[in-house]
Each structure stands twice: as structure tokens, then as C-alpha cells.
Amino acid sequence: ETVSYGHPQRLRYTLDNDLLTPEQRLFYEENGFLLIRNLVSKQDIDRFRGEFERICRQEIKVPGLVVMRDVAIAKSEFVPDQRAVSKVQDFQEDPELFRYCSLPKILKYVECFIGPNIMAMHTMLINKPPDAGKKTSRHPMHQDLHYFPFRPVDRIVCAWTAMETVNRQNGCLVVLPGSHKGTLQEHDYPEWEGGVNKMYHGVRDYDPEHPRVHLEMEKGDTVFFHPLLIHGSGMNQTQGFRKAISCHYASGDCYYIDVKGTTQENIEKEVKEIIVRRHAVGDELTFKDTWAIRGRLVQGERISM
Ligand SMILES: CCCCCCCCCCCCCC(=O)SCCNC(=O)CCNC(=O)[C@H](O)C(C)(C)COP(=O)(O)OP(=O)(O)OC[C@H]1O[C@@H](n2cnc3c(N)ncnc32)[C@H](O)[C@@H]1OP(=O)(O)O
Ligand SMILES: Nc1ncnc2c1ncn2[C@@H]1O[C@H](COP(=O)(O)OP(=O)(O)OP(=O)(O)O)[C@@H](O)[C@H]1O
Ligand SMILES: O=C(O)CCC(=O)C(=O)O
Ligand SMILES: [Fe+2]
Ligand SMILES: [Mg+2]
């Protein structure tokens, strides 16, 4: 089939812009992701790494930051060192790490997918540990939309940047190309013998035979992907801590939805339990509030988010 570039109404997942080539736009439309090599500078990544190490050594304390340890070591003795941390989330109050979310090079691409009003909704620095022998370093196949009570789905995008060489040995991202054209699937904890990390839900009826692509990346390479794209990451079979930094963006004119009665009810329940335990608040804080509090405007206008 030949594709006519003169009919932008056929393009649903990208917006008219001068940055993406027609081939790049079509690639994202068809596959649900776009890999841009060498986008973030080595200098910036070294600064993010330095800040992460300061956080792990507890030299700085960041309000709102969630530090997560791998389930395989969660109950072992505490050491203030990066070896104990599998990811940090919600670094919106750390000016150095949050610089990643505002990098003009990243925002130029984000605008191609979600438009000029850009909110940074969720931030993570993932430090995938060497597998402790139970395969808990894996991240099950999932759709990020499962976690998000906002829409429309096509005005949400993730930017994920490799902070070092990321390959099959240390557990690169694995994606199911084209899966973004489907709907949101039911998610649950996979039945893995060695255990699963908290909130690492996977698509319930994952078919291991579905064709998949391993995204091997170098330091600074960045992949942008759609929130319905089914993806995960493999086991880290090296002795190093595989690092990546990411941000989920949504348009400032997205709107919140009530997930009651949908497949997202199970994650809403877990998030609420954690918030209640951590902040000693009651039911008055809703799932949507937890997102509205963390979201930060990085470009344009905050209209309904
Ligand atoms: C507000 C949250 C919103 C999240 C939205 C996600 C959006 C993502 C959107 C994008 C898509 C993203 C897709 C994604 O990324 S999904 C993954 C996202 N994951 C999370 O958001 C989890 C965030 N982590 C936490 O909230 C804390 O670290 C938890 C609550 C896990 C521990 O809390 P804390 O650090 O204070 O520890 P504690 O010492 O007081 O232990 C308490 C209990 O917890 C047990 N434990 C410890 N570690 C783990 C573990 N790894 N796995 C299982 N259990 C664990 C521990 O043994 C103990 O159990 P017990 O002894 O009581 O039985
Ligand atoms: N039973 C399963 N249910 C859900 N997701 C799974 C299952 N088995 C593997 N995965 C996911 O598939 C992806 C790849 O996992 P895996 O660790 O097997 O690496 P791999 O890419 O197959 O590499 P290799 O073939 O070299 O081992 C990960 O996202 C992993 O979590
Ligand atoms: O970095 C990884 O291993 C994948 C993380 C991921 O998909 C997520 O946290 O949503
Ligand atoms: Fe994800
Ligand atoms: Mg495998």
C-alpha cells in the first residue's frame, strides 16, 4: 500500500509539525514508538547520575520522592547506597533531575505527539539491579495507561532515555509493536515464583508468542512511546545497575476520569492504600488528586489538568 502524505487526517497519533519526517510520523503511527538516537547529551546524563547518587547516599532529601527497593532485598538490612535502590519516582521537586523533563530537545518531540500544552505527570529514574536470582528484576509486560486516570489516550506520551548502554543482557525495554492500536487490557500481578515488585502489574493474558522487539540503546538515546504500547523489560543478567530516566507527559487540556467500574479499579485501590499509609490521610484524597498534585506544567498552559 502506498501512503499519501497529503492526508494528515489519516494520522491519528501524531500532530502536524516541522520536526518529524514523514517516515518518522508513519513509524510512530504504525508501531507506537519512535527511537531517537543520541538525543540527550552525555554531560546532562552524568549530572542526573550524580544527583541520583547523592539521593542514594542520603546527602539530599527531596520532598515527595518515592524510593523503591527491589522486592528481593526489601527485607534485608538497609545500606545508604545505590545498590539498595531499584528506582526513584516523583522527582518533580528535585530541580536537577527535573531538568530532564524540561529539556528543549525532549519537549520538541513531545509536542509532536501531544501538542504545545505540556504537563510532566510522572517521573522516574530506574536503577534496575543485578538480578538476585529470582528474576524479580524483570518488569512484566504492561500498558502505562493502566496507571493513569486521564484522557484522551493519544495526548499522553512517555520519554525514556538510556543513561548507559542498555541491551538484552542488562534488561532493555521489550515492546510489542503496533499494540498501541488495541484497547487497555486487564492488568494484575503475574504469577511469578520468585515474587513481583509492588504495583508491577502485567497484562493478564500476555501471549509470549507475540512478535516483540528488543530496544537496544546507547547512552542518551531516547524512545518516545504511546501509553497503550505493551512493553516491559527483561532480567538484568549483569553485575551493573542498568539506569534509565523517564517522564510521562500529558497535554494540559487532558481531563481526569473516574475509574470506578473499569479495569483500573485495582490499581486505584493500591495507590490509595499507599497514600493513606504514607501520609496518614483518609478517603478524601482521590486517585485523581494524587496525579493533580504531582503534575507540573513545563510548556504552554495548564487548562484542565
Ligand atoms: C503514590 C503512588 C503512585 C504510583 C503510580 C505509579 C505510576 C506509574 C506510571 C507509569 C507506569 C509505571 C509502571 C510502574 O513502574 S509500576 C510500579 C510503580 N511502583 C510504585 O509506584 C511503588 C512505589 N513504591 C512504594 O510506594 C514503596 O516503595 C513501597 C510501598 C513498595 C514500600 O514502602 P517502603 O519503601 O516505605 O518500605 P517499607 O520498608 O515500609 O515496607 C513496607 C512493606 O512493603 C514491602 N516492600 C518493600 N519494597 C517492596 C517491593 N519492591 N515490592 C513489594 N513489596 C515491597 C516490605 O517488605 C513491607 O512489607 P511487609 O513487611 O509489611 O509485608
Ligand atoms: N510469563 C510472563 N508474563 C508476562 N511477562 C513476561 C513473562 N515472561 C517474560 N515476560 C516479560 O517479557 C520481557 C522479556 O523478558 P525476559 O527476561 O525473558 O527477557 P528476554 O527479552 O526474553 O531476553 P532473553 O530471551 O535473552 O532471555 C520482560 O518484559 C518480561 O518481564
Ligand atoms: O525501565 C524499565 O525497565 C521499564 C520501566 C517501565 O516500563 C515503567 O516503569 O513503566
Ligand atoms: Fe512502563
Ligand atoms: Mg526470555
Side-chain angles (χ1 to χ4, degrees):
E1 195 202 356
T2 51
V3 177
S4 165
Y5 298 136
H7 293 83
Q9 70 276 13
R10 294 182 59 192
L11 304 179
R12 160 175 173 189
Y13 299 100
T14 59
L15 303 169
D16 264 322
N17 64 80
D18 300 327
L19 179 63
L20 301 187
T21 65
E23 291 75 14
Q24 287 177 318
R25 272 187 88 171
L26 281 177
F27 188 91
Y28 188 88
E29 295 279 332
E30 283 304 311
N31 294 286
F33 68 94
L34 182 65
L35 177 48
I36 306 295
R37 299 279 175 198
N38 200 20
L39 185 65
V40 178
S41 74
K42 306 262 185 298
Q43 290 83 345
D44 278 333
I45 289 175
D46 292 342
R47 286 176 58 179
F48 303 145
R49 175 186 277 265
E51 183 73 355
F52 174 67
E53 288 169 357
R54 279 187 288 281
I55 290 171
C56 292
R57 289 196 302 266
Q58 301 185 314
E59 289 170 19
I60 45 178
K61 206 167 178 320
V62 181
L65 189 83
V66 176
V67 175
M68 189 167 179
R69 306 210 269 156
D70 188 89
V71 64
I73 60 160
K75 292 178 198 287
S76 65
E77 213 176 304
F78 180 73
V79 238
D81 179 284
Q82 66 144 329
R83 280 170 293 174
V85 175
S86 59
K87 72 157 92 173
V88 297
Q89 294 190 101
D90 299 332
F91 56 66
Q92 65 277 354
E93 291 301 318
D94 182 318
E96 180 57 33
L97 288 181
F98 195 72
R99 229 167 38 76
Y100 169 75
C101 307
S102 321
L103 286 176
K105 289 174 178 181
I106 298 268
L107 294 180
K108 268 174 66 184
Y109 281 97
V110 169
E111 184 168 348
C112 300
F113 306 111
I114 71 169
N117 298 320
I118 305 179
M119 296 275 303
M121 298 303 295
H122 189 252
T123 54
M124 282 188 286
L125 195 154
I126 307 137
N127 187 48
K128 189 197 273 283
D131 199 90
K134 299 193 155 178
K135 299 190 181 176
T136 54
S137 65
R138 288 181 300 175
H139 199 128
M141 289 297 199
H142 66 281
Q143 296 167 305
D144 290 344
L145 190 70
H146 177 59
Y147 299 87
F148 301 149
F150 40 88
R151 302 289 185 276
V153 58
D154 296 334
R155 299 287 85 87
I156 303 171
V157 73
C158 178
W160 189 102
T161 300
M163 294 177 68
E164 62 193 322
T165 300
V166 169
N167 55 29
R168 214 155 163 166
Q169 288 67 48
N170 63 7
C172 62
L173 285 183
V174 182
V175 305
L176 307 190
S179 52
H180 68 301
K181 292 178 185 171
T183 53
L184 182 60
Q185 306 288 301
E186 262 188 77
H187 286 62
D188 244 319
Y189 287 108
E191 286 164 18
W192 286 350
E193 272 176 39
V196 186
N197 279 301
K198 182 78 176 157
M199 287 190 201
Y200 277 37
H201 293 188
V203 292
R204 191 179 274 180
D205 299 310
Y206 171 65
D207 172 9
E209 301 305 312
H210 192 291
R212 44 189 207 166
V213 171
H214 290 78
L215 296 182
E216 299 208 315
M217 295 163 66
E218 295 300 327
K219 185 173 179 177
D221 292 355
T222 301
V223 61
F224 296 89
F225 64 92
H226 189 276
L228 285 173
L229 184 77
I230 298 177
H231 66 284
S233 61
M235 188 159 74
N236 181 358
Q237 297 175 277
T238 72
Q239 289 311 304
F241 288 74
R242 190 228 68 183
K243 288 182 179 55
I245 186 166
S246 79
C247 180
H248 284 88
Y249 299 94
S251 167
D253 25 45
C254 282
Y255 50 86
Y256 290 102
I257 59 158
D258 187 346
V259 301
K260 196 166 162 43
T262 74
T263 59
Q264 292 178 261
E265 244 181 332
N266 60 354
I267 193 68
E268 172 180 48
K269 186 162 171 282
E270 279 194 50
V271 169
K272 278 187 162 180
E273 284 166 2
I274 287 185
I275 303 266
V276 166
R277 198 148 46 89
R278 199 185 300 154
H279 303 288
V281 291
D283 254 2
E284 64 276 10
L285 199 69
T286 64
F287 189 32
K288 102 180 205 190
D289 292 335
T290 68
W291 286 101
I293 289 165
R294 286 179 286 172
R296 294 286 181 277
L297 187 71
V298 289
Q299 183 183 298
E301 274 186 83
R302 184 172 189 166
I303 294 159
S304 36
M305 285 295 280

